Amino acid sequence: MKLEEITALLGNFGRYQILLIAYASILSCIGCFVTLSHVFFAAGTDHWCSVLPHENCSSWPVFQDNCTEVKKAMFLPPSQNDSSKYPYSNCDQWALPSEYVFDPYAPLADVDNFTYSAVPCKSGWVYDTSQYKTTIISEFDLVCVDNDLPSFSQSIYFVGFLVSSIIVGTLSDWLGRKKALSLSLLLWVVGFIVTTFSVNIYMYMAFRFISGFGEYGAYLSSFVLAVENVPDSWRTAVTMLFGITYAVGYFFLATAAMYVREWRPLCLIMSLATVPLLFPLPFVQESISWLVSKDKLKEADAVIRRVAKFNKKTLPDVLFDKEDDQNEMEARESAIPPSFIDLYRTPNMAVKTINMQYNWLVNSLVYYGLSLSTGDLGVDDYWAFFVSGAVEIPALVYATFGVEWFGRKWNTAVLELIGGVACLVAIFIPIGIWRTVVSMIGKFCISATFSIIYLYSSELFPTPIRAVGIGMCSVSSRIGGIISPLVLLLGRNVPSIVFGSSAIAAGILVFFLPETKGRKLPQTLKEAEAMGKCKCMTANVSNESVIELDEVDLDKEGVFAISNAAFDHGEEKKCRDFSQQFTRNHRESSHM
């Protein structure tokens, strides 16, 4: 009996599949906590030099209620940054004579031997605690010369994503989806909880890296498990569900941060939310597709029967036909392994690959840039963050249907152009509600294109190197995430210029790609090279690079078996499922 026939007997959407999808959806929602909680852990606030900290104006009752403002006006130079929202310098103070005695009635100009000379803070800093009681910035004094470390720590977190996509993707194929999920989830829970007890920024960075590694690995493994257990007709909806539940995570995080204004308690609450994810692991079954692909038929038989019992389905006594399974194994073993070099071997394929890699990098760069900078919009930080997540839900819903209405090319190009223009226009709008509205338009567009390029890429790359292509694009996406927090350090308007101009450039480049809506998926490198080829590209595809592989045979494994560790199997699977479902929907609608 064929694998697809066996899985159909389990019930296409039974109780086990529903619970597995619910588990993966909750994991996706909680994943938002660890990824974006840094927005509140490292929230910016006003700070100034601690000058004469023991003077409290007790000898001058008239100044007791506003002693801090008096001291700031007397001892701090005006801000040297015209775009600063704070009137006084955050990092300098006036150099006071050693014999100076505090007197709010006596201007410094009247003090003997005093000249206005600015020097760096001598006794540390004082932080405004009206909104955030504590942050990693105030606790570890990450200001002035160390003000880049909070953003750098978020980049380290995204490095964890990159490393996880390489290592966990490989482990998932070597050891199985469930083992990869268990290991990743354990690292995620431990890393996130220990982050709460960081004693300095470097410990915080180290465990944020572990958290990022575990979080992405857990998402990757749970996603693959989920999509390998549902029928093709449901995979697009399931994929979108994971995106929506991630956006729902914004709501819970914003609400918790609104009431918990100290970073350590907030981190502990968010991290403890990951602990219940460990309890369902014993009930999660290994992927049947993976077990069959590894010729572990006895284990596959046991898993199938456990799932069937849970779904209340009856199975025949003999499930696997040994002769058919032997033929499938021999076909897989004789397949020529694809290589990332095939992406760049021919001119048209190379241009399309580089174009799509740039688009993935830009989408990740702008998406995380807008998500991490909601505190700079000039409105309430919590509501800005809340709305930033809310706009993703209609964006994903639109993406689901928009690609069928207007195609992949026009949707990607136009939305990226609108998103880029919104980022640039926001520069000329004063901080406040209207700047927030324009920024959210940009977030809507980028959230939509970030999901569309998964589908678009899977339809541009041919079957033999589809996994390779999506894997290389995923690496570019991770690099965009790493760069994004660093771009936010470049100044008040520079990030918007970088995000806007890069998105516009990406949108323009998409016009040079072919439309894939309604077209047959390319099966060979030769077909992919011919798709959208310009006459100026006259090079022929080498016969050695044309690998004739049957897409159905590859699909039997559930996830392509790629030997190169850089290939992101989960991302490729997501894209291939998108492609198959959208193509199927289009074909059905064309016959109606």
Side-chain angles (χ1 to χ4, degrees), residues 386-526:
F386 188 95
V387 173
S388 179
V391 298
E392 291 191 28
I393 297 176
L396 290 169
V397 173
Y398 170 79
T400 305
F401 301 100
V403 289
E404 286 303 307
W405 296 338
F406 307 113
R408 288 68 159 144
K409 176 178 177 177
W410 280 95
N411 263 296
T412 306
V414 173
L415 288 174
E416 284 182 342
L417 289 173
I418 295 174
V421 170
C423 290
L424 294 178
V425 169
I427 297 173
F428 304 100
I429 301 176
I431 59 174
I433 185 64
W434 287 111
R435 185 166 187 166
T436 303
V437 170
V438 173
S439 297
M440 290 305 104
I441 292 174
K443 180 70 182 297
F444 175 95
C445 294
I446 295 301
S447 297
T449 58
F450 210 172
S451 64
I452 293 172
I453 59 173
Y454 278 90
L455 167 66
Y456 199 6
S457 301
S458 70
E459 295 178 341
L460 284 174
F461 295 121
T463 297
I465 56 171
R466 188 166 293 125
V468 181
I470 301 303
M472 295 301 291
C473 288
S474 180
V475 170
S476 299
S477 175
R478 305 295 161 242
I479 294 173
I482 294 170
I483 296 173
S484 186
L486 303 179
V487 172
L488 296 176
L489 295 172
L490 298 179
R492 197 166 189 81
N493 291 324
V494 174
S496 293
I497 295 174
V498 173
F499 298 151
S501 58
S502 60
I504 290 174
I508 293 173
L509 288 175
V510 170
F511 285 113
F512 294 94
L513 294 172
E515 176 59 73
T516 59
K517 176 178 178 288
R519 298 184 64 165
K520 178 180 178 292
L521 294 178
Q523 301 299 312
T524 66
L525 290 170
K526 187 174 182 179

Side-chain angles (χ1 to χ4, degrees), residues 201-482:
I201 184 59
Y202 302 104
M203 181 178 176
Y204 178 86
M205 288 181 184
F207 283 96
R208 282 288 289 174
F209 171 85
I210 295 173
S211 299
F213 182 98
E215 189 272 323
Y216 187 75
Y219 170 76
L220 180 64
S221 302
S222 64
F223 174 81
V224 173
L225 272 172
V227 297
E228 287 182 349
N229 277 278
V230 297
D232 292 348
S233 59
W234 282 93
R235 285 176 179 169
T236 299
V238 168
T239 301
M240 285 297 180
L241 175 64
F242 293 159
I244 292 173
T245 52
Y246 183 89
V248 171
Y250 278 79
F251 307 156
F252 291 107
L253 177 56
T255 303
M258 191 179 299
Y259 291 98
V260 182
R261 305 295 180 98
E262 299 181 55
W263 85 270
R264 288 188 189 274
L266 178 62
C267 184
L268 185 61
I269 292 171
M270 295 293 100
S271 61
L272 291 178
T274 64
V275 175
L277 295 174
L278 295 170
F279 299 131
L281 281 177
F283 306 99
V284 174
Q285 304 299 319
E286 182 55 85
S287 167
I288 300 170
S289 298
W290 180 82
L291 290 170
V292 172
S293 73
K294 297 299 181 182
D295 201 27
K296 299 184 177 185
L297 301 185
K298 288 185 178 180
E299 294 180 38
D301 185 282
V303 169
I304 291 170
R305 295 189 183 280
R306 283 196 293 268
V307 174
K309 183 178 180 180
F310 189 78
N311 284 350
K312 297 183 178 181
K313 299 293 182 178
T314 303
L315 297 175
D317 294 335
V318 178
L319 293 177
F320 293 102
D321 187 319
K322 292 185 177 180
E323 182 178 349
D324 288 342
D325 294 327
Q326 182 64 30
N327 292 336
E328 289 185 12
M329 288 299 298
E330 291 176 356
R332 283 194 289 269
E333 291 173 358
S334 63
I336 302 174
S339 168
F340 76 94
I341 296 176
D342 293 314
L343 293 167
Y344 310 98
R345 193 187 301 275
T346 55
N348 189 33
M349 195 72 250
V351 169
K352 290 189 291 187
T353 299
I354 295 172
N355 190 336
M356 193 54 70
Q357 283 181 290
Y358 176 74
N359 267 271
W360 279 64
L361 186 149
V362 168
N363 273 267
S364 180
L365 172 72
V366 179
Y367 174 83
Y368 286 114
L370 294 177
S371 297
L372 295 171
S373 60
T374 52
D376 298 329
L377 297 174
V379 295
D380 182 82
D381 290 0
Y382 308 103
W383 283 109
F385 186 84
F386 188 95
V387 173
S388 179
V391 298
E392 291 191 28
I393 297 176
L396 290 169
V397 173
Y398 170 79
T400 305
F401 301 100
V403 289
E404 286 303 307
W405 296 338
F406 307 113
R408 288 68 159 144
K409 176 178 177 177
W410 280 95
N411 263 296
T412 306
V414 173
L415 288 174
E416 284 182 342
L417 289 173
I418 295 174
V421 170
C423 290
L424 294 178
V425 169
I427 297 173
F428 304 100
I429 301 176
I431 59 174
I433 185 64
W434 287 111
R435 185 166 187 166
T436 303
V437 170
V438 173
S439 297
M440 290 305 104
I441 292 174
K443 180 70 182 297
F444 175 95
C445 294
I446 295 301
S447 297
T449 58
F450 210 172
S451 64
I452 293 172
I453 59 173
Y454 278 90
L455 167 66
Y456 199 6
S457 301
S458 70
E459 295 178 341
L460 284 174
F461 295 121
T463 297
I465 56 171
R466 188 166 293 125
V468 181
I470 301 303
M472 295 301 291
C473 288
S474 180
V475 170
S476 299
S477 175
R478 305 295 161 242
I479 294 173
I482 294 170

Side-chain angles (χ1 to χ4, degrees), residues 69-329:
E69 292 303 317
V70 171
K71 291 166 67 176
K72 288 167 69 174
M74 291 184 64
F75 303 136
L76 304 181
S79 176
Q80 299 298 313
N81 186 353
D82 294 336
S83 62
S84 174
K85 58 183 178 181
Y86 305 120
Y88 301 107
S89 173
N90 299 118
C91 301
D92 294 322
Q93 67 177 68
W94 297 125
L96 300 177
S98 57
E99 68 278 5
Y100 176 76
V101 176
F102 178 59
D103 184 353
Y105 287 106
L108 290 179
D110 296 340
V111 177
D112 295 337
N113 301 321
F114 174 80
T115 57
Y116 284 99
S117 176
V119 296
C121 299
K122 294 183 177 182
S123 303
W125 295 267
V126 179
Y127 297 89
D128 181 5
T129 59
S130 59
Q131 182 170 6
Y132 299 100
K133 302 300 182 182
T134 62
T135 64
I136 63 168
I137 293 177
S138 63
E139 190 164 323
F140 302 143
D141 283 334
L142 305 179
V143 294
C144 300
V145 295
D146 293 327
N147 68 339
D148 57 339
L149 291 180
S151 292
F152 186 70
S153 66
Q154 185 66 2
S155 292
I156 293 293
Y157 173 82
F158 286 122
V159 172
F161 268 32
L162 175 60
V163 177
S164 180
S165 67
I166 297 172
I167 295 178
V168 177
T170 303
L171 290 177
S172 181
D173 277 343
W174 288 355
L175 304 178
R177 285 55 163 133
K178 182 176 179 179
K179 291 180 180 178
L181 171 62
S182 302
L183 176 61
S184 299
L185 196 54
L186 183 62
L187 289 174
W188 180 14
V189 173
V190 173
F192 202 8
I193 291 176
V194 176
T195 300
T196 306
F197 306 99
S198 298
V199 296
N200 54 47
I201 184 59
Y202 302 104
M203 181 178 176
Y204 178 86
M205 288 181 184
F207 283 96
R208 282 288 289 174
F209 171 85
I210 295 173
S211 299
F213 182 98
E215 189 272 323
Y216 187 75
Y219 170 76
L220 180 64
S221 302
S222 64
F223 174 81
V224 173
L225 272 172
V227 297
E228 287 182 349
N229 277 278
V230 297
D232 292 348
S233 59
W234 282 93
R235 285 176 179 169
T236 299
V238 168
T239 301
M240 285 297 180
L241 175 64
F242 293 159
I244 292 173
T245 52
Y246 183 89
V248 171
Y250 278 79
F251 307 156
F252 291 107
L253 177 56
T255 303
M258 191 179 299
Y259 291 98
V260 182
R261 305 295 180 98
E262 299 181 55
W263 85 270
R264 288 188 189 274
L266 178 62
C267 184
L268 185 61
I269 292 171
M270 295 293 100
S271 61
L272 291 178
T274 64
V275 175
L277 295 174
L278 295 170
F279 299 131
L281 281 177
F283 306 99
V284 174
Q285 304 299 319
E286 182 55 85
S287 167
I288 300 170
S289 298
W290 180 82
L291 290 170
V292 172
S293 73
K294 297 299 181 182
D295 201 27
K296 299 184 177 185
L297 301 185
K298 288 185 178 180
E299 294 180 38
D301 185 282
V303 169
I304 291 170
R305 295 189 183 280
R306 283 196 293 268
V307 174
K309 183 178 180 180
F310 189 78
N311 284 350
K312 297 183 178 181
K313 299 293 182 178
T314 303
L315 297 175
D317 294 335
V318 178
L319 293 177
F320 293 102
D321 187 319
K322 292 185 177 180
E323 182 178 349
D324 288 342
D325 294 327
Q326 182 64 30
N327 292 336
E328 289 185 12
M329 288 299 298

